[in-house]
Structure formats: structure tokens, C-alpha cells
Amino acid sequence: MRRDPRLSNSIRTYRKAIDMSQKDLADAVGVRRETISHLEQGKYNPSLLLAMKIAEIFKVTVDDLFTQKEASHEPN
């Protein structure tokens, strides 16, 4: 069975650098605070639109925020 690859991200780093709370970021991009928490923990991959909105808030590129982790593979 193959798992979906997850993205690692720097959202928390950028958010903390401008002293922004998860709630503030969530409100700015139109999602719940829990969504931001799950993104930062790597439990959730954002849609491209959400990734672009977050990058715009921090004035960086999507590539600056997200990096793909290697996919996990389990034996069939």
C-alpha cells in the first residue's frame, strides 16, 4: 500500500517571524484555526489555492513555504 506524500512546510516559522497567531492567519486566508494547526503539523496538504493565499500573506513563493517529503511505501 502506498501512502500519499506529505509536504513539510515553514508556515510556523514565517508566522512567528511576524508575530501572527494561527487564528490570525486562518482568518486572513478564510479557513479554521485547526486547518492551520494541521498544516503546520504536516497532517494536511493544502489545496494549491490555499498554499498560494498563505504564500501571499508572507510575501514568499509557494516553493519557499512547502517541500515534498519522500513518499512512504509499504510492502504489497
Side-chain angles (χ1 to χ4, degrees):
M1 173 183 260
R2 186 175 158 210
R3 294 173 139 177
D4 290 334
R6 294 287 171 202
L7 300 173
S8 61
N9 67 73
S10 302
I11 295 172
R12 181 182 171 98
T13 302
Y14 282 103
R15 185 175 59 74
K16 292 287 188 175
I18 62 171
D19 198 30
M20 178 182 261
S21 71
Q22 287 181 342
K23 174 114 175 64
D24 292 338
L25 179 56
D27 290 346
V29 297
V31 298
R32 295 175 41 217
R33 186 206 56 81
E34 291 81 7
T35 301
I36 300 301
S37 175
H38 288 163
L39 284 170
E40 289 183 355
Q41 294 173 43
K43 293 181 179 178
Y44 170 71
N45 283 338
S47 68
L48 179 56
L49 181 58
L50 178 56
M52 291 171 70
K53 285 180 180 181
I54 294 169
E56 186 176 311
I57 294 291
F58 299 129
K59 297 178 176 42
V60 298
T61 67
V62 172
D63 285 345
D64 290 334
L65 278 180
F66 297 95
T67 327
Q68 185 174 340
K69 294 181 185 178
E70 289 188 30
S72 297
H73 295 278
E74 294 178 9
N76 290 336

